[in-house]
Amino acid sequence: MSLPSLFVEGIALWAPTLPGWDTAAPALRGEGRAVDPPAARPSPELLPAAERRRAPDSVALSLEVAARAVAQSGRAPSDLLSVFTSAHGDLAITDYVCSTLARAPWSMSPTRFHNSVHNAASGYWGIATGCMQASTAVSAFECSFAAGLLEAWTQAAADAGPVLLVGCDVTATGALASTNDSRGLLAVALVLAPQRGPHALARLDAMLVPGATERIPLRSEAALPLAGNAMADALPLFETLAGGAPEVLTLPLSAMLGLRVQVCACRDRG
């Protein structure tokens, strides 16, 4: 099954060693280096100061990349449908909630509790930008980026309008670290449009392919340290977008289904 073409209008990535697309793109091409020492967690300017301090890592990173991708696209944040995808949500918050419920449930922080829901980042985004468009939160374990991309693709095609896709996962902590191997911080974002416009950076064509799909190995030295993060399946696509050469990638959607994506740069930008 083939999907309608989409155009990438905005790209963002944040990790402690790749804090922003301007740093990440050359590093993912093998032309630059990762940041050392790693950067501190971003402080999203969209939020008031008090909210910035209280926001968990997943929210801070998601809003950072969302704002950067939207700014590059030239779109108004309030005009965009959005899809937020994460394999696990904020594992530190989940660990806190579980351990508090087990030991002293009456001491539960209301702020941390409301940050534990899977669509917390989506909610913060809508409030911070005043966006009243539909927003979807997706989770598909180790296939969460591909599932989010397919959801964003479907919405862009169905509604004939641009969609913001944001993916983020964080480090497993506490007792959860014994059963979950997500490590480090990684967030990515794309603004995707069904028609080519003046800000188009790349064209994406895709089809669903049956059968088992192997995970795509990372090519750049800058990406390899991020392989332990649950959102790392996004990195091959971002390596391709950084490189600019035409390429076909097959991203696992499940044990028996893949999303084959053909990437071609828009050289003349419209």
Side-chain angles (χ1 to χ4, degrees), residues 36 70 132 172 259:
D36 187 20
V70 172
M132 302 292 287
L259 181 65

Tab-separated table of all heavy atoms in Angstrom, residues 36 70 132 172 259:
chain	number	residue	atom	x	y	z
A	36	ASP	N	31.116	18.047	23.509
A	36	ASP	CA	31.770	17.497	24.692
A	36	ASP	C	32.370	18.655	25.488
A	36	ASP	O	33.212	19.384	24.956
A	36	ASP	CB	32.857	16.492	24.288
A	36	ASP	CG	33.447	15.762	25.482
A	36	ASP	OD1	32.786	15.738	26.544
A	36	ASP	OD2	34.563	15.222	25.347
A	70	VAL	N	9.057	23.933	14.042
A	70	VAL	CA	8.003	24.827	13.555
A	70	VAL	C	8.603	26.149	13.085
A	70	VAL	O	8.203	26.697	12.052
A	70	VAL	CB	6.942	25.049	14.647
A	70	VAL	CG1	5.953	26.130	14.222
A	70	VAL	CG2	6.197	23.748	14.926
A	132	MET	N	-5.305	25.092	19.069
A	132	MET	CA	-6.571	24.401	19.300
A	132	MET	C	-6.784	23.250	18.323
A	132	MET	O	-7.854	22.648	18.290
A	132	MET	CB	-7.727	25.404	19.180
A	132	MET	CG	-7.632	26.583	20.138
A	132	MET	SD	-7.852	26.094	21.860
A	132	MET	CE	-9.616	25.758	21.876
A	172	ALA	N	15.578	5.433	31.695
A	172	ALA	CA	14.879	4.671	32.732
A	172	ALA	C	15.627	4.829	34.052
A	172	ALA	O	16.857	4.756	34.097
A	172	ALA	CB	14.803	3.201	32.343
A	259	LEU	N	7.498	0.186	7.422
A	259	LEU	CA	7.174	1.407	6.682
A	259	LEU	C	8.396	1.760	5.840
A	259	LEU	O	9.422	2.174	6.373
A	259	LEU	CB	6.839	2.544	7.646
A	259	LEU	CG	6.453	3.884	7.012
A	259	LEU	CD1	5.147	3.756	6.231
A	259	LEU	CD2	6.326	4.969	8.083
